[in-house]
Amino acid sequence: MPSLPPPSHVWHPFTQMRAFEAEGAPVIESADGVWLTDTAGRRYIDGVSSLWCNVHGHRHPGIDAAVRAQLERVSHSTMLGLSHPGAEELARRLVALAPPGLSRVFYSDSGSTAVEIALKMAFQYWQQAADARPARTGFVYLEHSYHGDTVGSVSVGGIDLFHSLYRPLLFDAHRVPAGDAGALEHVLAAHGDEIAAVVVEPLVQGAAGMLLQPPGYLREVRAACDRHDVFLICDEVATGFGRTGTMFACEQEAVAPDFLCLAKGLTGGYLPLAATLATERVHAAFLGEHEELRTFFHGHTYTGNPLACAAALASLNAFEEERTLERLAPKAALLEQLLGDLVEPLPHVAEVRRCGLMCGIELARAGGGPFDPALRTGHGVTLAARARGAIVRPLGDVVVLMPPLSIEADVLEELVEITADAIAEATGAGTLAVAA
Ligand SMILES: Cc1ncc(COP(=O)(O)O)c(C=O)c1O
């Protein structure tokens, strides 16, 4: 196993450092397309799109050139009191692509901040809009939801493993079971007057382990929000930019939210950039004289960074020039077939969940029931896959596959084969089941 260059001073995210330092990990030095190369010269398929953000592959010529060209102009200039052409053009293009009614783009730099901003905007709207309802300070979120790691986004987070420790730091919000529109209606009927917004990950709850929502659910959520005049925040940080087969997951249910949160794939996975899209109704409530203090008092230093905007524009160009979305359907179909042939028959695979190129493989003991978490079975799959030349990262004992949309059929096949072999090895199922 490759080792970290000693001594390492780096503290890694979501990582138990004791085990990490004992085990070592590849140190990625370069990349090309869907392949990552470490300092020892080993190559790996980027099976999780460098944490769900790479879209068109690494070192994409068009995005590389756009970032280089922007370097020749300006690398950073503030959006506080100034603007720049890339931010203007990107906002125009995002508004054109987004569901109808989302006409204002507020930039930030991560998925967490995109959600944090939507929460604060929704809250502030009800404090100061012409139709102000100051009692509307609460939020509704789904069980098992994940919206980021900042304190506001954790307050609407439903993954107890990550979130419950921080409960004393968080604001209260109503948690409802995912996929159950009746339960949401119930909460809104009882508490609607105190609710500012409902926040959901549309179609797929990614960090929960790729949990799929029943068809029609998002439409019912939108209808319930409308009935109670509550805002709908759709967090498409993970699902946006083609992951579910359409540019945005909302499109599949013909839903237009009041706020749309974007990050990860926005720059094709190149640079940190996020956007919170809002409606004209929302924006209008923030207009007024300075002394009225209707301003949205929020903004990060690197908000709307010009290099990141250049990468985002080039990524949107790549979607058009390479017909990325049109070419996705056959890849998703191939993935479905490969999972059915190679992964589902494995004795320790309890369920395979897939939407577009987002996929979660849930592992379980042969007789059913979860593995003892101390066994770290999902992590074992990661190590076994790594030894075979693919980077996958599990969520507990759910193995995630989420390759760049640009992955070619033969590499997709290799990725699923490696994953199946790695699952067989890590669960002690041997390789016979895979060969069958
Ligand atoms: C749905 C969703 N929202 C928000 C986030 C947080 O994004 P970031 O890690 O860029 O802060 C994530 C990250 O995985 C996510 O999946």
Side-chain angles (χ1 to χ4, degrees), residues 39-62:
T39 44
R42 289 157 154 268
R43 275 161 45 92
Y44 310 87
I45 303 169
D46 188 353
V48 286
S49 299
S50 294
L51 216 69
W52 312 0
C53 61
N54 191 282
V55 178
H56 309 288
H58 299 271
R59 295 186 51 212
H60 183 277

Side-chain angles (χ1 to χ4, degrees), residues 51-52 109-113 115 146-150 153 201 204 206-207 235-239 263-264:
L51 216 69
W52 312 0
D109 35 46
S110 74
S112 305
T113 58
V115 173
Y146 180 80
H147 296 290
D149 298 331
T150 54
S153 57
E201 293 162 79
V204 187
D235 173 356
E236 293 232 25
V237 168
T239 53
K264 285 194 186 282

Side-chain angles (χ1 to χ4, degrees), residues 90-266:
L90 181 59
R92 273 194 295 276
R93 298 213 19 208
L94 290 175
V95 166
L97 283 171
L102 294 159
S103 54
R104 298 287 171 166
V105 178
F106 192 97
Y107 291 113
S108 61
D109 35 46
S110 74
S112 305
T113 58
V115 173
E116 196 87 18
I117 285 161
L119 297 173
K120 284 178 72 177
M121 277 182 180
F123 169 87
Q124 192 172 340
Y125 175 93
W126 292 114
Q127 300 305 305
Q128 66 190 35
D131 58 346
R133 302 282 297 278
R136 287 185 180 266
T137 57
F139 292 90
V140 181
Y141 66 98
L142 304 187
E143 195 172 17
H144 308 305
S145 58
Y146 180 80
H147 296 290
D149 298 331
T150 54
V151 169
S153 57
V154 170
S155 296
V156 292
I159 301 183
D160 287 338
L161 175 69
F162 303 156
H163 300 147
S164 60
L165 170 71
Y166 301 106
R167 200 42 72 192
L169 298 180
L170 311 178
F171 56 75
D172 280 334
H174 298 269
R175 181 189 294 207
V176 293
D180 181 350
L184 174 64
E185 175 59 34
H186 192 70
V187 167
L188 291 180
H191 304 283
D193 290 348
E194 303 144 33
I195 303 296
V198 174
V199 52
V200 299
E201 293 162 79
L203 299 197
V204 187
Q205 291 188 282
M210 303 294 161
L211 299 183
L212 307 182
Q213 292 163 0
Y217 174 67
L218 187 65
R219 246 194 321 271
E220 291 187 65
V221 171
R222 174 73 270 185
C225 289
D226 287 343
R227 271 195 299 280
H228 297 278
D229 196 17
V230 163
F231 287 129
L232 173 61
I233 300 172
C234 281
D235 173 356
E236 293 232 25
V237 168
T239 53
F241 300 100
R243 292 289 162 188
T244 65
T246 46
M247 190 55 114
F248 302 115
C250 290
E251 292 168 31
Q252 295 184 35
E253 299 255 329
V255 159
D258 302 286
F259 297 91
L260 179 68
C261 304
L262 305 174
K264 285 194 186 282
L266 172 55

